[in-house]
Amino acid sequence: MPWQFRMLAGRFRHWTRRSTTNAPAPLAKTVTGLSQKGFFNEAGEELSERSSKMPKMKTKSSAKKRFKITATGKVKAAAAGKRHGMIKRTNKFIRDARGTMVLAEPDGRKVVKNYLPNGL
């Protein structure tokens, strides 16, 4: 057996070994009756039906730290290219890259649509 398959077999080992002790019964087996209100289990307790709501739209955590939305809806971001290698950068580049700047309109739309659906 090649080493890749041995590695995969070890990684997914927990999928094949399932303990049968103290395992809760699946929901389908506990449902015994249906009334106008909903499903009931053998003890007569009402079971809440599974909702079909869409998942919540969440803001990307990385985008929260990198972008801000102005009052007019524009997107502000810090300048790129200032993390390391400043020796070879010109003084003009270092000066111009200070602080934050407003992103171009197409880039701002992409950031808001993909990463900040609820704004900040």
Side-chain angles (χ1 to χ4, degrees):
M1 178 187 292
W3 65 270
Q4 294 97 340
F5 293 126
R6 281 197 303 263
M7 191 173 76
L8 282 176
R11 183 176 296 165
F12 300 114
R13 188 177 309 137
H14 63 278
W15 285 4
T16 56
R17 293 183 186 171
R18 293 194 176 156
S19 66
T20 56
T21 60
N22 298 332
L27 182 62
K29 290 187 179 180
T30 60
V31 174
T32 58
L34 176 66
S35 72
Q36 289 181 345
K37 288 186 177 178
F39 289 100
F40 291 88
N41 63 7
E42 290 137 1
E45 301 161 345
E46 186 175 355
L47 299 173
S48 62
E49 61 183 79
R50 297 190 179 193
S51 63
S52 61
K53 293 180 185 175
M54 290 291 291
K56 288 185 177 181
M57 291 179 9
K58 294 190 174 179
T59 299
K60 298 277 185 193
S61 296
S62 59
K64 287 185 222 175
K65 300 165 190 170
R66 288 173 173 79
F67 304 109
K68 296 287 178 218
I69 298 179
T70 64
T72 57
K74 296 177 182 174
V75 180
K76 284 173 46 173
K82 289 195 64 178
R83 295 293 178 196
H84 59 85
M86 301 309 288
I87 298 286
K88 58 188 164 193
R89 309 270 193 243
T90 62
N91 288 334
K92 182 179 185 304
F93 175 87
I94 295 171
R95 259 194 328 272
D96 291 344
R98 278 189 203 137
T100 58
M101 53 197 66
V102 176
L103 292 183
E105 194 65 35
D107 294 333
R109 278 197 304 261
K110 287 177 194 169
V111 167
V112 170
K113 179 183 173 191
N114 296 325
Y115 303 118
L116 304 169
N118 299 320
L120 284 176

